[in-house]
């Protein structure tokens, strides 16, 4: 069964870009030959039919849940990118409703969006001005006007969504776990017993990646450094993983977060077999 799934993925990598190319040509007023259009539509129809058949087989015959079946058929990077975009749009709704995502009962909340708000909202305003200007300039070309307008509106939503995601997804601290987040693409959980040291340290964001170090800057700086006794696994935007032993992050009130983490660590029970505290 795995061989047909791999074959379908390979075909999808060929068919989807080809279909997008045909769509761009049609929007630009270029009409490809009729046999090319017919072949493209037939390929898409066959691909969707095959995907549906394999989905039903996974769901009904092999007992997979619909979510598991989709994960089997769609490459992980595609799923993660789609999920990222949906979470950004959902963050806009949460932000408008003045709600947050994630804090559980009894968890302490620490915001981290304040120092980037001016930059992102200012960039969003510039994008709005550019959208209005391009809409006026491209009025004589209706098809191009519609395409550029859609892209510009999405860009505005994307930029404002980045700020909304940071504002509605703060860092949280529970009795046993520190949860550090950045927009919708970083969600790192650190067990408190793995934090060997925590310190307040203002640093400019580094351009290059250090081995085993995860930087989560806000406004191009980090203010807290956590050194771990055991590494934790960080998952990237496209699903790639790396093990990190040092995490640098930022919070609006970094000293309060540091004090809260210190208190929570001091309340942990001593490790089994270790000397009493």
């Amino acid at each position: 069964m795995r061989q047909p799934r791999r074959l379908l993925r390979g075909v999808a990598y060929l068919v989807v870009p080809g279909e997008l190319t045909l769509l761009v040509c049609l929007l630009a007023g270029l009409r490809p030959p009729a046999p090319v259009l017919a072949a493209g539509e037939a390929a898409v129809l066959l691909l969707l039919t095959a995907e549906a058949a394999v989905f039903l087989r996974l769901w009904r015959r092999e007992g997979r849940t619909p979510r598991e079946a989709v994960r089997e058929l769609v490459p992980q990077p595609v799923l993660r990118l789609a999920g990222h975009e949906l979470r950004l749009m959902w963050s806009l709704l949460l932000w408008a409703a003045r709600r947050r995502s994630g804090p559980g009962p009894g968890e302490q909340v620490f915001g981290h969006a304040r120092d980037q708000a001016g930059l992102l909202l200012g960039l969003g305003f510039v994008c709005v001005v550019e959208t209005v200007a391009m809409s006026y300039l491209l009025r004589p070309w209706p098809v191009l006007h519609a395409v550029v307008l859609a892209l510009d509106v999405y860009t505005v939503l994307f930029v404002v969504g980045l700020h909304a995601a940071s504002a509605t997804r703060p860092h949280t601290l529970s009795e046993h776990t520190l949860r550090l987040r950045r927009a919708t693409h970083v969600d790192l959980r650190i067990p408190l017993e793995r934090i060997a040291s925590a310190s307040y340290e203002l640093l400019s964001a580094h351009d290059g990646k250090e081995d085993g170090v995860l930087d989560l800057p806000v406004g191009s700086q980090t203010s807290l450094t956590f050194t771990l006794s055991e590494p934790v696994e960080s998952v990237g935007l496209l699903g790639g993983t790396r093990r990190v032993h040092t995490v640098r992050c930022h919070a609006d009130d970094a000293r309060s977060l540091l004090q809260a983490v210190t208190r929570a660590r001091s309340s942990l029970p001593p490790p089994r077999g270790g000397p009493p505290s």
Side-chain angles (χ1 to χ4, degrees):
M1 189 65 183
R2 287 193 175 275
Q3 193 64 30
R5 292 177 217 162
R6 292 177 181 175
L7 179 60
L8 282 176
R9 287 189 178 185
V11 172
Y13 281 129
L14 295 174
V15 171
V16 173
E19 184 69 12
L20 291 176
T21 302
L22 290 176
L23 179 61
V24 170
C25 290
L26 290 172
L27 291 175
L30 301 175
R31 186 169 184 82
V36 174
L37 286 175
E41 297 308 312
V44 172
L45 181 60
L46 290 174
L47 177 63
L48 292 177
T49 302
E51 293 271 4
V54 175
F55 174 83
L56 291 174
R57 181 182 179 88
L58 289 170
W59 179 24
R60 294 186 175 179
R61 296 187 182 181
E62 298 188 14
R64 308 288 181 89
T65 65
R67 177 174 295 184
E68 290 172 342
V70 170
R71 286 178 177 173
E72 287 282 344
L73 290 171
V74 182
Q76 185 184 30
V78 176
L79 285 177
R80 292 190 65 86
L81 281 175
H84 176 263
E85 301 304 300
L86 291 174
R87 288 192 296 272
L88 277 182
M89 298 303 110
W90 177 243
S91 297
L92 286 170
L93 298 178
L94 291 177
W95 189 46
R98 297 181 179 273
R99 298 182 61 184
R100 287 172 170 166
S101 171
E107 291 186 342
Q108 301 179 63
V109 174
F110 300 90
H112 56 86
R114 183 183 62 198
D115 292 341
Q116 70 178 13
L119 175 63
L120 286 179
L121 294 180
L123 181 59
F125 176 75
V126 171
C127 291
V128 170
V129 173
E130 189 264 348
T131 299
V132 174
M134 293 301 294
S135 179
Y136 175 78
L137 292 173
L138 296 177
R139 282 189 305 172
W141 301 278
V143 174
L144 184 59
H145 173 270
V147 173
V148 174
L149 179 62
L151 292 175
D152 283 343
V153 170
Y154 180 77
T155 300
V156 173
L157 293 176
F158 182 86
V159 171
V160 179
L162 286 176
H163 172 67
S166 296
T168 57
R169 288 171 166 79
H171 304 317
T172 61
L173 178 65
S174 66
E175 292 182 359
H176 304 287
T177 305
L178 172 64
R179 185 180 184 185
L180 302 176
R181 300 195 281 185
R182 184 183 183 191
T184 63
H185 57 280
V186 176
D187 192 343
L188 182 69
R189 299 174 188 266
I190 305 176
L192 292 180
E193 64 268 16
R194 294 194 185 185
I195 299 179
S197 65
S199 60
Y200 178 83
E201 188 178 19
L202 279 176
L203 295 172
S204 297
H206 298 281
D207 293 331
K209 285 186 177 181
E210 299 179 53
D211 187 33
V213 178
L214 177 64
D215 284 328
L216 304 177
V218 174
S220 299
Q221 72 173 8
T222 59
S223 52
L224 292 169
T225 300
F226 298 98
T227 303
L228 310 183
S229 58
E230 298 180 37
V232 295
E233 192 171 82
S234 171
V235 182
L237 174 61
L238 298 181
T241 60
R242 57 188 292 240
R243 294 178 66 79
V244 297
H245 55 70
T246 301
V247 181
R248 302 183 185 125
C249 68
H250 183 69
D252 295 340
D253 191 347
R255 296 186 186 276
S256 292
L257 176 55
L258 177 61
Q259 292 172 1
V261 170
T262 302
R263 286 195 300 268
R265 289 175 59 212
S266 65
S267 301
L268 291 174
R272 292 182 179 181
S277 56

